[in-house]
Amino acid sequence: MPISSLPRLEPRLLTELGSFVGSSNVLTASTDLLAYDCDGTTLEKLPPSAVVFVSHTRQVSEIVQWCARNKISYTARGAGTGLSGGALTLDGGILIELSRMNRILSVDTRSGLAVVEPGLVNVHLTRAVSEEGYYFAPDPSSQAACTLGGNVAENSGGPHTLKYGVTTNHILGLTVVLPSGEIVEVGGECRGTPGYDLIGLFVGSEGTLGIVTRITVRLMRAPQTTRTLLLSFSSTLDASLAVSAIIAQGIIPAALEMMDRLVCEAVEKKLSLGIPEGTEAVLLVEIDGFEAGQDDLVSRIETIGSAHDALQVRAARNDAERSDLWRARKGAFGAIGSISPSYYTHDGVIPRSKLPEVLARIDEIVAEEGLRVANVFHAGDGNLHPLLLFDEREADQIVRAHRAGEAILRLCVEVGGSLTGEHGIGFEKIGAMSWLFDEATLSVMHGVRLALNPDQLCNPGKAVPSPASCREVRRVFGSKRYA
Amino acid sequence: MHENEFVPGSEEELSSLLARFSRDGRPVLPVGGGSHLHVGVTPDPCWARVSLASMTGLVFHEAQDLVASFRAGTRLDEVQEVLGKRKQRLPLDPAHGPSTLGGCLGVDHSGILSHRFGTLRDLVLGMTVVLADGRIIRVGGRVVKNVAGYDLSKIMIGSLGTLGMMTEVIVKVVPEAETEAMFVRGFEDISEAWETALRINGDQLEPSSLFVAGAEAARAVCAREVPGKAFVFMGATGVTAFVSGHERHLNQDHAGTGRWVRIEAEEARDVTKRLPPFFSQGSPLSIRFGCRTGLLGEALSRFGQDSGWVVQPGSGTGWLRLVSYDLLSDLRSWLEGNGGYAVVWKGPENLRTEEIWGTSRDDVNVMRSLKKALDPRRILSPGRFVGGI
Ligand SMILES: Cc1cc2nc3c(=O)[nH]c(=O)nc-3n(C[C@H](O)[C@H](O)[C@H](O)COP(=O)(O)OP(=O)(O)OC[C@H]3O[C@@H](n4cnc5c(N)ncnc54)[C@H](O)[C@@H]3O)c2cc1C
């Protein structure tokens, strides 16, 4: 975006904004604002008119009230790793930057909980409690950077959510600054607090119902043992049939991830995992928890592997091997950068028994557009991440990547799945919401938004379409890739 | 049948019924099996009752995906029976009597298996709801991971039918375990029982249920002659080696001078089955309460003299029978003062809103806004819920 067309706030407003947090905590220089013009969705760029760094709840409330008085829209931002454009300001609003609110306020392992600020980085929480034998279960691949506030807003998942559940299953209480500026506590320090399940509503609402300024999370006891297996297959079909077989046998591993040949090639270059020749797909399977009975589960998985003609079934022999396997999985997105100049991913979900059929259809869709696809995803819960590889210097390829992405998402919906399993609708997929939900349902969701956010100044244009917004409809898909 | 009872046979019929009541401003009480109408402020007898008794049965069961969908009027025992044909089940304590799936959802009746499998909010993937104005909405979906749109099923669960009527529910199910057992140990000292449960909770075991029960509650649910004043129960389900590993570990690390008695599958299920009625039908006054787990022990030592109680360290929640209503205010003020809550689960008919639900918290305004958005004419169970909603 040319600097001359950046959104700007009048000087009077800037001075007022500075009075809440100190002028050094407000960014307004064009060069600074351009650093905040996107999240993990880097092809779509929309800079804010200011970035305000906040340090406590009351400040957030004052700023929100000031926004309401001046009819300025605002969006919360954690680490900006979101993958649906959630932390973009669409109409010249301001960004409320929470990364400085990153303290752990208290830890109570006896009660299995911790109270934290939203800017805390996901993995920092686990690090802080791991010595006591605890951890925070939701583990997005971005966990070294993303914040708990972002996790709450997106209801984030990760490889281990197959067994342990997503963010909403691990939140007990929230402090929320509502769009009215009012500060409310929802939930508490235990389950079952009286009234509607507001935790269930706020978690996953993509920052459109208020700004979360404090979070009470559940801490989990670290598992006694962990067994990690790598199964290599000579076809994606065999690998996906093996996934279905594992689930159908009633085995719920801690994690059940798939990576296809392209991804394996990319990670092999970096990590030399010794994946056998001729591998078209690998499954990374982890069993964890109480030790007794694990041998039994592992041998059942091995049997399923052989029954599906696995080329190799290998168990990590020690922690070092295990963490190599996970480095490969969590670094997979990054590794793809070494084999393609750009890529664009989706996050569709399908019933897990449909994996073989859907993966085959995806190959066809992508081939028709003359592109390549790399798959690295949460196979156990049917949450796909097809990475469409293309070259963004060629406009035509961008168009084809978008077309393929759209066809894949339509396919997910058609087989009974969803548009997104963990990355959120954001503004990227807002125009696709009508494929999934009928008009009545969308109007009720919008009604819920208006009930809490009547002026729609709080993160407008995200998550739930407003009935008559042409702007949103045009944006069926933003462009997307991550580095 | 209640003289004002309506039993629609389809979503469309229910939709036009509710739309008409909305237009006429006529209050409606949604009814499942009718076994939990005691929860919340007593409904006015003159309201129209709308029953889901004709909207029953399986919609689909995708056994391979561990997902099933039922009409909300289906009785819970029928749900388990249908799933059982494919060796699966809904990991919810088999509720008593005529409880329906919709009814359990309405009161958020999840029981003690929630230690491992979560409460209903964690098991429901999506649902169809008919709103007060007749709109039929479908929220969530049928896949196990889904973040598209607001998750409105969450606010429906436990809403006592004040936001809409659930007509179809899609749930996660689990395979029947190879082995299922429960272990129980008695203690003479309540705080020793509690500390043991807390240690087990902080251990690396993976129980399906974990709770401490006072003598009266324990005797009501478990026929074994185990001596003691307080009892720790721990369930384990999984492959056989997993369950026996738990038994070994309990006896090695958590037995002290006592011993764990093993209860096998059928009998173990009876224990979980008998708990809900102990606090519902069988009791004139029962309280559902919660606070930070680390404080539950103190709550017990203050209020656990009468022995009709159960607490769960995993969730920081419990149930308690009270012999007299006068004891409630102390219990409640202690819990509320410590960040917890106490709600009357079953009590005398004439209690008012705050007497049942406790002191309103500041989030009640958010709840009121939701009520206003979804049922602006206040026809669905008006006044039955928190804050007079
Ligand atoms: C390489 C990579 C891998 C990833 N892997 C995963 C994965 O495995 N699983 C997964 O689920 N996601 C994954 N993501 C997506 C992303 O990391 C998550 O969505 C994450 O939770 C976003 O956190 P954040 O702090 O970066 O939030 P941001 O991007 O800053 O914001 C995301 C949304 O949250 C809102 N928000 C942020 N803080 C608050 C707050 N305090 N109150 C209210 N709203 C708030 C914002 O307004 C925005 O709408 C990945 C991303 C990348 C780049």
Side-chain angles (χ1 to χ4, degrees), chain A residues 5 11 35 56 58 72 110 251 276 326 332 358 385 390 399 419 436:
Chain A
S5 59
H56 54 82
R58 183 132 306 282
I72 292 168
R110 219 169 122 85
I251 304 173
W326 278 111
V358 170
H385 289 328
F390 67 103
V399 174
L419 298 168
L436 197 58

Side-chain angles (χ1 to χ4, degrees), chain A residues 39-40 75-88 95-96 98 118-120 139-143 145-159 167 205-208 210-215 329-330 333-334 343 347 378 383 385 421-424 426 459 462 482-483, chain B residues 145:
Chain A
D39 61 0
T75 295
R77 179 176 164 115
T81 68
L83 291 178
S84 51
L88 264 68
L95 267 185
I96 300 184
L98 292 139
L120 181 68
D139 61 336
S141 303
S142 52
Q143 71 185 143
C146 67
T147 66
L148 283 160
N151 298 167
V152 165
E154 302 291 358
N155 193 13
S156 299
T167 302
S205 61
E206 303 190 13
T208 61
I211 298 186
V212 172
T213 59
R214 187 178 284 200
I215 310 168
R329 166 59 187 90
K330 295 206 171 175
F333 287 172
Y343 62 93
D347 177 42
H378 313 303
N383 187 182
H385 289 328
E422 54 184 25
H423 296 168
N459 210 12
K462 315 288 172 59
Y482 23 82
Chain B
K145 211 167 158 195

Side-chain angles (χ1 to χ4, degrees), chain B residues 44-264:
Chain B
D44 195 318
C46 72
W47 296 347
R49 291 186 173 211
V50 178
S51 157
L52 288 186
S54 292
M55 294 174 69
T56 60
L58 177 75
V59 182
F60 64 80
H61 180 192
E62 297 287 355
Q64 272 218 322
D65 290 324
L66 302 176
V67 171
S69 177
F70 292 89
R71 291 191 191 84
T74 316
R75 285 169 56 135
L76 213 58
D77 46 12
E78 199 184 319
V79 167
Q80 303 294 20
E81 196 186 307
V82 169
L83 296 172
K85 287 186 196 143
R86 308 283 297 271
K87 296 219 166 319
Q88 297 186 345
R89 60 194 301 252
L90 181 64
L92 204 62
D93 310 334
H96 55 284
S99 292
T100 61
L101 189 55
C104 287
L105 286 161
V107 297
D108 190 14
H109 198 338
S110 301
I112 52 175
L113 290 179
S114 60
H115 181 86
R116 161 99 170 262
F117 299 102
T119 59
L120 276 161
R121 80 189 289 280
D122 307 303
L123 297 173
V124 169
L125 301 173
M127 58 171 67
T128 306
V129 183
V130 180
L131 297 181
D133 64 2
R135 275 182 294 178
I136 302 172
I137 63 171
R138 291 188 175 77
V139 297
R142 59 196 281 181
V143 281
V144 293
K145 211 167 158 195
N146 185 1
V147 294
Y150 296 150
D151 190 355
L152 299 183
S153 352
K154 294 278 194 302
I155 54 171
M156 295 293 161
I157 298 170
S159 67
L160 287 184
T162 56
L163 294 178
M165 283 189 77
M166 295 171 263
T167 53
E168 186 189 324
V169 186
I170 307 171
V171 288
K172 277 205 254 196
V173 299
V174 299
E176 272 177 8
E178 186 176 291
T179 304
E180 198 176 324
M182 192 173 267
F183 306 95
V184 56
R185 193 189 143 194
F187 295 80
E188 284 309 315
D189 179 32
I190 296 182
S191 65
E192 194 192 338
W194 170 249
E195 286 300 325
T196 303
L198 206 55
R199 266 201 309 280
I200 294 173
N201 192 46
D203 203 339
Q204 288 162 312
L205 294 165
E206 296 185 277
S208 47
S209 58
L210 176 63
F211 62 97
V212 190
E216 194 190 338
R219 301 250 147 73
V221 300
C222 175
R224 296 296 180 95
E225 286 292 326
V226 183
K229 292 204 176 69
F231 300 81
V232 178
F233 288 82
M234 193 198 91
T237 55
V239 294
T240 306
F242 175 86
V243 176
S244 49
H246 275 79
E247 181 174 13
R248 240 186 349 265
H249 186 87
L250 282 179
N251 280 316
Q252 261 163 27
D253 287 15
H254 301 287
T257 54
R259 152 188 106 82
W260 290 88
V261 175
R262 177 168 172 145
I263 302 173
E264 299 300 335

Side-chain angles (χ1 to χ4, degrees), chain A residues 157-213:
Chain A
H160 291 84
T161 49
L162 177 57
K163 176 171 175 185
Y164 294 104
V166 290
T167 302
T168 190
N169 308 110
H170 296 273
I171 303 299
L172 292 171
L174 296 172
T175 302
V176 185
V177 176
L178 298 176
S180 62
E182 197 186 336
I183 300 165
V184 296
E185 310 283 336
V186 306
E189 297 178 335
C190 59
R191 295 280 183 193
T193 47
Y196 300 136
D197 178 5
L198 297 181
I199 298 282
L201 178 65
F202 279 108
V203 176
S205 61
E206 303 190 13
T208 61
L209 301 178
I211 298 186
V212 172
T213 59

